[in-house]
Amino acid sequence: FKEENYLLESKFNSKEAMEWMPFNHHEVAVMVLDWEMPGVSGLELLKLMKKDDRYKDIPVVMLTAHTKKSDIQMGIDSGAYYYVTKPFNKDFLKSIVNRAVFDYQQLFILKKQLREAQNPFANLLSGTFSVRTPDDAQRMSLQIANASETPDKALLICELLTNAVEHGNLGIGYEEKTQLIEENRLYNEIMERLSLPEFKQKQALVNVKRESGILKVIVEDEGEGFDYRKYLEFDPGRIFDNHGRGIALAKSMLEINYLGKGNVVEVLIPVGNMN
């Protein structure tokens, strides 16, 4: 990582890390964490971080020799962003860390905007909105989250809106996205496709309706759909992929239902009653 544009901070064990974190956590964009360490294990440190509001959003990449499926599942269930086993491929680890930093920065920006935003849906009964770009997806997610009783959880609808753009409308498949992330070309590819004639008119429609304290959001893209069932839960078989957990993460926090062939998803978000 010395070749990357990062400032690095190393700690010998969990005790040193937790003594350092309270004063410096605002500067941390990702943590690479071993499991086996003197004193408190890396897994226990991970659990402690995810229970602390100061650290819970920091992505943690477990880098460990624990290779059993049960250990991998335990790491993911405890909140690991990704789980990388030793011996590891350096380029793969860099790809995972770079993506973790990107995701953390995006989340940081979204939460900052959420704190500063007004609630445009305060008096909304129903409406239909168009989402064409990743920026559109983020703005719509902010508006929905701002109306929610649990805005941090509601922000995860961004995963579904982004999927509607990338996979549904632009046709970026799973393997192709894996390669684009490895080569750090995903954003450029999205922007290039958005400018092509065959994609210029494509949009995802977001229908929003308030019903008895619930905001019902239906997202429909123009894609051919996909087998969403295998993405609804965390799959240890895909743990070494550099993406593919967004839908499962959203489902763990939100009530979501895919309809038809998979290009339509319904999300139910508590918003309270109108004044």
Side-chain angles (χ1 to χ4, degrees), residues 159-170:
E159 296 283 350
L160 308 178
L161 291 169
T162 300
N163 187 63
V165 172
E166 293 178 357
H167 172 72
N169 287 350
L170 299 182

Side-chain angles (χ1 to χ4, degrees), residues 17-208:
M18 294 312 290
E19 288 175 349
W20 181 85
M21 284 289 285
F23 307 100
N24 302 279
H25 63 92
H26 293 297
E27 300 175 8
V28 181
V30 64
M31 178 184 286
V32 179
L33 183 62
D34 203 347
W35 186 314
E36 296 294 340
M37 292 189 292
V40 177
S41 73
L43 184 68
E44 291 305 313
L45 175 57
L46 171 63
K47 292 177 180 178
L48 289 171
M49 288 182 61
K50 294 306 170 183
K51 291 178 181 177
D52 193 316
D53 287 341
R54 295 173 296 177
Y55 317 135
K56 66 179 182 179
D57 289 336
I58 297 173
V60 177
V61 177
M62 293 295 292
L63 179 61
T64 171
H66 285 245
T67 58
K68 292 193 303 183
K69 285 187 176 181
S70 59
D71 289 338
I72 294 172
Q73 190 64 54
M74 197 182 306
I76 294 302
D77 290 344
S78 299
Y81 177 88
Y82 270 99
Y83 192 103
V84 182
T85 58
K86 300 176 182 178
F88 62 93
N89 177 282
K90 291 182 180 180
D91 289 335
F92 175 74
L93 181 61
K94 285 183 180 180
S95 170
I96 293 297
V97 169
N98 288 337
R99 186 66 187 181
V101 171
F102 175 82
D103 286 349
Y104 177 74
Q105 290 172 339
Q106 292 298 107
L107 180 61
F108 180 85
I109 291 170
L110 279 174
K111 287 197 169 184
K112 182 176 184 294
Q113 292 175 339
L114 182 61
R115 291 191 298 270
E116 296 171 351
Q118 300 297 316
N119 183 357
F121 288 173
N123 299 307
L124 178 75
L125 291 176
S126 64
T128 302
F129 305 87
S130 171
V131 170
R132 202 180 78 86
T133 71
D135 288 342
D136 291 342
Q138 288 192 0
R139 282 191 292 270
M140 179 56 58
S141 302
L142 281 171
Q143 292 173 353
I144 292 169
N146 195 269
S148 171
E149 293 179 341
T150 54
D152 282 6
K153 292 181 180 180
L155 265 181
L156 287 169
I157 198 172
C158 191
E159 296 283 350
L160 308 178
L161 291 169
T162 300
N163 187 63
V165 172
E166 293 178 357
H167 172 72
N169 287 350
L170 299 182
I172 297 176
Y174 189 90
E175 297 299 331
E176 185 178 13
K177 184 172 180 177
T178 300
Q179 188 69 27
L180 289 169
I181 290 175
E182 285 182 2
E183 297 171 359
N184 197 27
R185 295 194 300 111
L186 178 59
Y187 181 78
N188 289 341
E189 180 66 22
I190 290 171
M191 300 314 293
E192 286 178 13
R193 292 197 188 193
L194 285 170
S195 67
L196 297 176
E198 60 265 39
F199 298 117
K200 269 190 172 182
Q201 303 303 318
K202 286 195 173 184
Q203 56 187 338
L205 293 181
V206 182
N207 290 286
V208 181

